[in-house]
Amino acid sequence: MSWALFHRAARARPFWLATASGAALAACPVLAQTNGESTQSAEVTGQPDLQTPDVVPTTTDAPAVKDEDQIGFAADNLNYDSDTEVVVAEGNVQMNREAVEMRADKVTWNRKTGQVFAEGNVTIKNPEGDTAYGDKIELTDTLRDGVVENMLVVLDNGSRLAAVRGTRFDNGNIELENAAYTPCPVEDDEGCPKNPSWQIRAVKVMYDRAKNKVRYKGARVEIFGLPLIPLPGLSHSINNEPSSGILVPEIRLDRSNGFEIAVPYYLRLAPDRDITLTPHIYTSAAPMLEGEFRALTDIGSFRINGYATYGSLVPLTGEDPDSEKRFRGYLESAGKFQFDPHWSLTYSGRIATDRTFMRRYDISRDDRLRSTFELERIGGNSYLSIAGWATQTLRRNDEQGQQPIALPIIDYRQRLADPIFGGQFELQLNTLAIGRTAGQDTQRAFAGARWDLRGLTGLGQEVTLTALVRGDVYHSDENLLTAIPGYRGKSGWQARGIAAVAADMRWPFIGEFAGGTQTLTPRVQIVATPPIENIDIPNEDSRAFDLEDGNLFAINRFNGHDRFEDGARITYGVEWNYSRPGFNISSVVGQSYRLSDKPSLFPDGTGLTDRTSDIVGRTTVAYRDFLRLTHRYRLDKDNFAIRRNEFDATIGSRSTYAVLGYSRLNRDILLLGEDLQDREEVRAGGRVAFAKHWSVFGSAIVDLTQQTDDPLSSADGFEPIRHRLGVAYDDDCLSIALTWRRDYADTGDARRGNSFSFRIAFRNLGF
């Protein structure tokens, strides 16, 4: 080995370090009063210390070396015995070799054996960014391997390993005895020492540098200093890269299943795919197995998730609870694939073995499961979609045979520039086939063209002209199986033509008001459409309708394609907007009037039955990120009675907030059509932070519907549906939540009653 490089310099302790230390003690008076006791070594306390020692950080006073066999050396005092070839350096000693830097109060180096003994506030930093601290270190002159007393390793990602005794190996591996690990901060916001939110203590810890993984023997998790969870055979990654192992258990207690514990096991099959198996054990139900598979491919990703059990099924009617014991389960999958910049495929599938499984095991409260796929091509001026969907109903009174299966749905659109007037043409081709196993089947195809021209007048008016034509062909059979006559149409082949012209004018007026800017925009629209054959056409996609601000100015105010509003009408309204820094109010109100006296196709209660429509509007108030209020309404044109009243509010910060909602539909109709029942409901939820990292949260849904609103309902005007209340702790390293929920209605074997859940998540812990 070539002769080492030496550099000697008399150096004083830096003034900035003394100042910083004094400031830290002043900011932490408790620490200042008990500093001698709180900084006892692990040899005295018998426990590893995760706090960073107050030592002079490694500097670059030692000269840089070019040869891997050379050592850069710097110290305040240096003695060399040429006979024994022992170097003794004292006073802020620094050594570096192959980008490994070491600092200590005293270093004894035997050049013959290569042994290095470092004492007093020892710090070693390797090229990977990890820093090791210790009281005494015995290592080789590579500065990479050795034995450390009272060892602390601060990894480059902020995680910490501490031990009473540790051994570092030349390959970067570390073995610790009586050790602790935490990825959590050990200082508060003011820089004062604190205990980590959680840490793992173990008899022995082995750190594999190549795999970036830690293994334990005799491990247990301590939360807020309390040993709570034993974890035999624990191993995990110390970064965000996942690795196989047991995940944090989930605990619940409810009326339907009793006490539940779920222990997920994560298995990493490859860097781009994994699987999680979760057995669910219950005291009042048969065990259930949950599995999820995820994969990332060169062109996209997908996942498959499923639940399976064998147990009794209680039907929606609640009769004969032990009448059926059978396989029960749920399967879902979703994915997206991008074949090239234009072509993509998206799919989502959901299916359950029965109508009460989802609610029984609290997987979802959806009352319909929809499966879809869509193949798309998106070009610069063209769009093609080939799609399909099917629905499984979970509703009590719905017949599965009446649920539609749409396959295929093909939609093609092409945009063309208007070379004469400067507008834009859009051509559209569409076809749809709907089948039912015990209901009406319908096929549809149409071709259409639309022209739009937008311009500004000299007075600042924004004018949009629209013209469209469309030709439709329909075929249907078994029409009598559709319960509502207005949806059936005529059996066999039907055809119709559609044409419409529209002119839409907006005239904004802008000015200053109350320190901000306001915009008042009157708007008028005229639409004319010849009589259209609607009743003879089956209605599959234009059923649910309600007049609101979002469709008031639409050329066709029916949703879907099967119904098209004909006749001539004028729609008028006004928009108002006021804004200033951090504050905004926007409002719109409008109404329409039909010029013809032809009976309307719109059902009673929708706001468009008579020639003059109801009045609809919306107002939104927003103040920074603290407040957002939205009010939507529909007023009866004759007596200004409120037929639709919706109020949504979000108030507060990210830590303390309230979410409120109120809905009332009072359509004032006697015959109840599909999706037109009167309803009244209030929703409330929120979270209150009552201490640092601690909060309480809750939500509730209450049905306010009365029998005067829905004669078929047994509601009494105040019927709670569900409420939830809980307490949570959240910091940047740990999340804990205890939740109590109460359901007030039975759904098959999903019983009303109380349920409790306990959730704990160790952040920054990659199992």
Side-chain angles (χ1 to χ4, degrees), residues 467-675:
L468 65 86
V469 293
R470 203 179 88 191
D472 301 350
V473 177
Y474 282 80
H475 179 269
S476 61
D477 53 25
E478 301 189 37
N479 301 56
L480 295 179
L481 296 176
T482 298
I484 300 178
Y487 295 163
R488 296 173 183 170
K490 289 185 177 181
S491 181
W493 292 94
Q494 304 294 329
R496 69 175 175 184
I498 297 174
V501 293
D504 193 320
M505 188 272 290
R506 297 160 50 97
W507 197 353
F509 296 90
I510 303 176
E512 296 182 358
F513 175 71
T517 302
Q518 68 170 338
T519 304
L520 185 67
T521 308
R523 183 176 180 181
V524 178
Q525 181 195 63
I526 299 176
V527 180
T529 303
I532 297 173
E533 294 293 336
N534 278 300
I535 299 299
D536 295 342
I537 302 299
N539 183 2
E540 296 282 5
D541 63 5
S542 302
R543 298 185 177 185
F545 174 82
D546 201 6
L547 181 65
E548 58 183 14
D549 64 283
N551 58 22
L552 177 65
F553 287 92
I555 294 178
N556 179 29
R557 292 185 289 195
F558 280 104
N559 52 318
H561 300 290
D562 292 338
R563 292 289 181 265
F564 200 98
E565 186 178 3
D566 57 3
R569 68 179 184 271
I570 179 171
T571 306
Y572 42 88
V574 61
E575 302 172 3
W576 180 72
N577 182 274
Y578 170 74
S579 63
R580 58 182 300 171
F583 183 74
N584 180 266
I585 302 176
S586 62
S587 183
V588 58
V589 61
Q591 188 181 34
S592 69
Y593 177 77
R594 287 193 293 112
L595 303 179
S596 64
D597 57 1
K598 179 181 177 180
S600 171
L601 284 172
F602 295 99
D604 289 339
T606 59
L608 284 172
T609 306
D610 298 329
R611 295 181 65 178
T612 302
S613 77
D614 286 350
I615 301 169
V616 296
R618 172 187 48 80
T619 300
T620 301
V621 179
Y623 175 69
R624 301 187 185 276
D625 294 331
F626 180 79
L627 172 68
R628 184 173 184 86
L629 307 175
T630 301
H631 180 220
R632 296 182 180 88
Y633 58 89
R634 177 162 64 87
L635 305 179
D636 192 291
K637 66 183 185 309
D638 298 322
N639 56 14
F640 298 105
I642 300 177
R643 300 303 176 196
R644 177 175 181 170
N645 194 15
E646 292 183 326
F647 178 84
D648 292 286
T650 303
I651 307 169
S653 62
R654 298 186 63 180
S655 58
T656 299
Y657 59 87
V659 179
L660 306 173
Y662 171 80
S663 301
R664 176 169 172 77
L665 300 177
N666 178 22
R667 296 184 171 94
D668 194 29
I669 55 178
L670 298 178
L671 298 178
L672 301 179
E674 185 179 49
D675 297 322

Side-chain angles (χ1 to χ4, degrees), residues 401-407 433-443:
Q402 292 285 339
Q403 303 307 308
I405 301 173
L407 185 69
I434 288 181
R436 295 175 174 86
T437 59
Q440 179 174 327
D441 298 332
T442 302
Q443 299 84 42

Side-chain angles (χ1 to χ4, degrees), residues 355-518:
R355 301 193 182 194
T356 61
F357 179 82
M358 304 283 285
R359 293 200 177 188
R360 166 69 183 271
Y361 295 98
D362 201 25
I363 299 171
S364 169
R365 296 192 170 270
D366 294 340
D367 58 4
R368 292 176 179 176
L369 303 181
R370 194 171 189 184
S371 300
T372 66
F373 82 90
E374 185 172 25
L375 179 66
E376 289 182 295
R377 187 191 186 281
I378 302 177
N381 291 298
S382 64
Y383 174 77
L384 172 64
S385 171
I386 303 174
W389 49 262
T391 301
Q392 179 185 6
T393 182
L394 305 181
R395 295 183 175 183
R396 179 191 300 265
N397 299 318
D398 283 0
E399 296 183 19
Q400 183 60 44
Q402 292 285 339
Q403 303 307 308
I405 301 173
L407 185 69
I409 308 169
I410 303 176
D411 188 65
Y412 175 75
R413 306 188 186 201
Q414 178 71 50
R415 289 181 177 176
L416 303 171
D418 177 5
I420 301 177
F421 300 104
Q424 181 175 266
F425 286 102
E426 181 177 286
L427 307 178
Q428 182 179 10
L429 299 174
N430 183 282
T431 182
L432 165 69
I434 288 181
R436 295 175 174 86
T437 59
Q440 179 174 327
D441 298 332
T442 302
Q443 299 84 42
R444 177 192 73 200
F446 70 77
R450 174 169 173 159
W451 172 78
D452 291 282
L453 175 65
R454 176 182 174 274
L456 297 174
T457 68
L459 297 176
Q461 299 158 330
E462 178 185 342
V463 179
T464 302
L465 303 177
T466 302
L468 65 86
V469 293
R470 203 179 88 191
D472 301 350
V473 177
Y474 282 80
H475 179 269
S476 61
D477 53 25
E478 301 189 37
N479 301 56
L480 295 179
L481 296 176
T482 298
I484 300 178
Y487 295 163
R488 296 173 183 170
K490 289 185 177 181
S491 181
W493 292 94
Q494 304 294 329
R496 69 175 175 184
I498 297 174
V501 293
D504 193 320
M505 188 272 290
R506 297 160 50 97
W507 197 353
F509 296 90
I510 303 176
E512 296 182 358
F513 175 71
T517 302
Q518 68 170 338

